[in-house]
Amino acid sequence: MHPLVRSAVTVLSEKAGLLCYDKERAKPSPIHTEAVTTNQTPSQQGTDGNTDHEQAENLRILSSYLEERLTLFNVDEPFPDLRLEYLSREGQISVVDYLAKMKNLKVLYLGRWQESVQHHIEVDSTEFLKGLKGMEKLRFLSLQGISRITEVPSSIGKLFDLIILDLKACHNLEVLPAEIKHLAKLKYLDVSECYLLNRMPKGLSALSDLKVLKGFVIDDRHSGNSGTLKDLKGLLQLRKLSISTRNGNFPSPEDLDALNALHPKLEKLTIAWGGGSKPGDKTTEGKQDNRRKLWNCLGASKEGDTDPVALAPKGRSSEQQAGKDIPNLEQGNGAPSPSLKLGELEKLVLQCYPKSWTPKWLTPTSLGKLKKLYVRGGRLKSVGDSKWETIETLYLKFLPEVRMNWREMNEQFPALIHFETLKCPGITFCPCDENGVWPQDHLKN
C-alpha cells in the first residue's frame, strides 16, 4: 500500500470511529461502541433479571444491534471462534445464530491481515462458519491464514452478493464445495498456499465475473468430480491466474491448448510445481511433509539454507535422480512443439520448475508483450538462448544450477531495466547491490 494511501486510510478510519492506530506498537486497535465502553454488550444489558420478558427484550436488543453491523474485522485475535463463542454465550444464543443475525454484514474479515506468518490464527471448530447462511448481503469474506479449517460449508453458495473470497494460506483446507459455482458476482478467489487442497470443484466456468483466480489446483488423478483448465475457458474477465500442480510434465500439449483457449486478455500467470499432497496419501504427516518441502523449494524455510531443489514432482527416471540429464525430447527435431500463446500476458512466474532445460513452450514469439519474468526455485540450469526484447523485469532466485554472466544476460534481455537475484551462485559479474538488486539507474552513473 502506498504510504499516502495508508495515511489517508488511517486518518479516515479514526474519524469514522472504526479503528484507533497505536503508533507505538505500529498496529490498529479497536474502538468500542458506546454499549461496549460501559463493559456491557447489548447482550449483557438487562440480563440480571430472570423473567422471560427480560430475556426476550434482551434478545430483541441484541438482534437489532447485530443487524446493524456492516463490518466484522479481526484486529488481533488469534482464536476468533472462541471470541465469537464468548460473545454468543453472553447473548444466550449459539454462535451460529449470533453470526446469522448479522443479515446486513458486508465485510467479514476473520483472517490474518498482517504479512508476517508469525501472526498465527487458528480455530478449534468450524461450527461458526454455518452462520454464514444468514449473511446474504456479504461482499467480502476473508479466512486468510486460519489453521484447522478443513472445509468450507456448502452454505457459502447462498452468498449471492459475494465479490471477494480470500482463503489464502488456510493450510488445512482440503475441500472446496461445489456450491461455490453459484457465486455469480465473485471477482476474486484466492486459495493459494492451501497445500492440502488436491482438486478444484467443477463448474467454475459459471463465475463469469471472475478476474483473479489464485491457487487453481491441477488434479493428477483426473477425477470426474474435479475441475480442469478447460472449465476456465468461459471466464472472459479473467486477468490473473495462478496454478498449482504436482505433475512434473505439466503443462502437457492438452494443458497448453486449454491455457491458450483462455481469454486473450489474461495479463498475469503463475505456475507452481510441487503443491498439494500425494494422491491417496491421507496421513497428516505426509501432507505436512509436502507443505514443508514446498516452502523449502521457495526458499521460505526458517531453518536457513535449505536446498531449493529439494522438491520436484515424482516421475523422474533413475538417471535423472542420479544427477544425469536425459535428452530433451521437447527440443527434438520432430513436429514443432506447442507453445504458450497468450498475446496479452505481461507477467509470468515459474516456481519450483522441476526440469533442467528451459521449457520449449516458453518462446518470445508467442509472448510478445511479456514484460516481467520471475523464476524461483527448481532444477533449471539455463534460461535458454532465446532473445527476449520485451522483458524489462527479471527475477532469478534460488536457482543454484543456473550459469550465466552479466554480458550474456544483457545480450539475452536487452530491454532489462530491473534485475534481482538471490542464492544463484552461478550468476556472475552482475553489478547488483548487497541485496542482489540491479536497477537501470546504475547505467546512468
Side-chain angles (χ1 to χ4, degrees), residues 175-235:
V175 179
L176 280 180
E179 288 77 7
I180 200 173
K181 64 184 178 183
H182 299 309
L183 304 178
K185 296 183 179 180
L186 197 67
K187 296 181 183 294
Y188 184 102
L189 173 59
D190 189 351
V191 290
S192 60
E193 299 181 31
C194 296
Y195 302 123
L196 304 190
L197 192 64
N198 280 321
R199 65 180 181 88
M200 301 296 290
K202 294 183 71 67
L204 292 184
S205 58
L207 306 178
S208 57
D209 286 346
L210 197 65
K211 293 185 177 181
V212 177
L213 175 54
K214 295 183 178 181
F216 187 90
V217 179
I218 304 298
D219 184 8
D220 297 335
R221 295 168 293 182
H222 303 290
S223 170
N225 296 324
S226 301
T228 65
L229 285 175
K230 294 181 180 180
D231 295 333
L232 306 183
K233 184 178 179 179
L235 303 182

Side-chain angles (χ1 to χ4, degrees), residues 57-202:
E57 179 64 15
N58 176 66
L59 182 59
R60 185 193 66 80
I61 294 174
L62 175 62
S63 298
S64 177
Y65 174 82
L66 294 177
E67 287 181 7
E68 294 176 355
R69 299 307 97 191
L70 299 178
T71 301
L72 180 58
F73 193 95
N74 183 2
V75 176
D76 197 17
E77 177 58 60
F79 306 102
D81 62 323
L82 298 182
R83 181 62 175 170
L84 290 171
E85 184 73 26
Y86 171 77
L87 293 174
S88 64
R89 286 182 179 178
E90 288 181 343
Q92 300 180 1
I93 59 176
S94 69
V95 65
V96 174
D97 292 337
Y98 184 87
L99 288 173
K101 289 182 181 296
M102 299 183 183
K103 299 179 180 180
N104 294 309
L105 200 71
K106 294 185 178 180
V107 176
L108 178 59
Y109 203 116
L110 297 179
R112 186 181 71 230
W113 55 270
Q114 301 93 336
E115 293 184 0
S116 173
V117 295
Q118 295 180 352
H119 296 273
H120 180 71
I121 301 179
E122 71 174 59
V123 294
D124 186 56
S125 170
T126 58
E127 181 72 15
F128 70 97
L129 290 178
K130 295 181 180 179
L132 295 175
K133 62 184 180 181
M135 301 180 182
E136 297 180 354
K137 296 183 180 180
L138 195 66
R139 296 183 180 180
F140 188 118
L141 173 60
S142 175
L143 303 175
Q144 180 181 152
I146 300 182
S147 297
R148 304 183 69 179
I149 294 180
T150 58
E151 61 180 348
V152 179
S154 59
S155 59
I156 196 174
K158 298 180 179 179
L159 305 180
F160 301 117
D161 286 343
L162 196 65
I163 296 176
I164 297 176
L165 177 57
D166 181 8
L167 302 175
K168 178 181 179 180
C170 290
H171 298 311
N172 300 102
L173 184 65
E174 299 181 18
V175 179
L176 280 180
E179 288 77 7
I180 200 173
K181 64 184 178 183
H182 299 309
L183 304 178
K185 296 183 179 180
L186 197 67
K187 296 181 183 294
Y188 184 102
L189 173 59
D190 189 351
V191 290
S192 60
E193 299 181 31
C194 296
Y195 302 123
L196 304 190
L197 192 64
N198 280 321
R199 65 180 181 88
M200 301 296 290
K202 294 183 71 67

Side-chain angles (χ1 to χ4, degrees), residues 148-342:
R148 304 183 69 179
I149 294 180
T150 58
E151 61 180 348
V152 179
S154 59
S155 59
I156 196 174
K158 298 180 179 179
L159 305 180
F160 301 117
D161 286 343
L162 196 65
I163 296 176
I164 297 176
L165 177 57
D166 181 8
L167 302 175
K168 178 181 179 180
C170 290
H171 298 311
N172 300 102
L173 184 65
E174 299 181 18
V175 179
L176 280 180
E179 288 77 7
I180 200 173
K181 64 184 178 183
H182 299 309
L183 304 178
K185 296 183 179 180
L186 197 67
K187 296 181 183 294
Y188 184 102
L189 173 59
D190 189 351
V191 290
S192 60
E193 299 181 31
C194 296
Y195 302 123
L196 304 190
L197 192 64
N198 280 321
R199 65 180 181 88
M200 301 296 290
K202 294 183 71 67
L204 292 184
S205 58
L207 306 178
S208 57
D209 286 346
L210 197 65
K211 293 185 177 181
V212 177
L213 175 54
K214 295 183 178 181
F216 187 90
V217 179
I218 304 298
D219 184 8
D220 297 335
R221 295 168 293 182
H222 303 290
S223 170
N225 296 324
S226 301
T228 65
L229 285 175
K230 294 181 180 180
D231 295 333
L232 306 183
K233 184 178 179 179
L235 303 182
L236 302 182
Q237 302 295 326
L238 195 63
R239 298 294 182 270
K240 187 173 184 178
L241 172 66
S242 70
I243 298 172
S244 176
T245 178
R246 293 191 69 254
N247 186 355
N249 294 318
F250 179 88
S252 65
E254 292 77 13
D255 296 324
L256 287 171
D257 289 340
L259 287 171
N260 293 335
L262 294 177
H263 195 268
K265 292 186 178 180
L266 187 69
E267 299 173 354
K268 299 179 181 179
L269 175 63
T270 298
I271 304 177
W273 287 263
S277 58
K278 299 178 181 178
D281 185 1
K282 297 183 179 180
T283 64
T284 302
E285 293 79 5
K287 294 177 178 179
Q288 296 296 339
D289 184 61
N290 281 305
R291 174 185 159 197
R292 177 186 59 80
K293 287 181 178 179
L294 180 59
W295 274 100
N296 290 345
C297 178
L298 296 178
S301 174
K302 294 181 180 180
E303 281 79 20
D305 296 333
T306 304
D307 183 6
V309 299
L311 173 69
K314 301 273 184 169
R316 290 169 61 87
S317 65
S318 58
E319 288 84 3
Q320 288 174 300
Q321 293 174 351
K324 302 177 182 179
D325 288 329
I326 61 175
N328 183 358
L329 299 181
E330 288 185 314
Q331 298 179 353
N333 296 322
S337 300
S339 59
L340 186 63
K341 300 176 182 179
L342 295 172

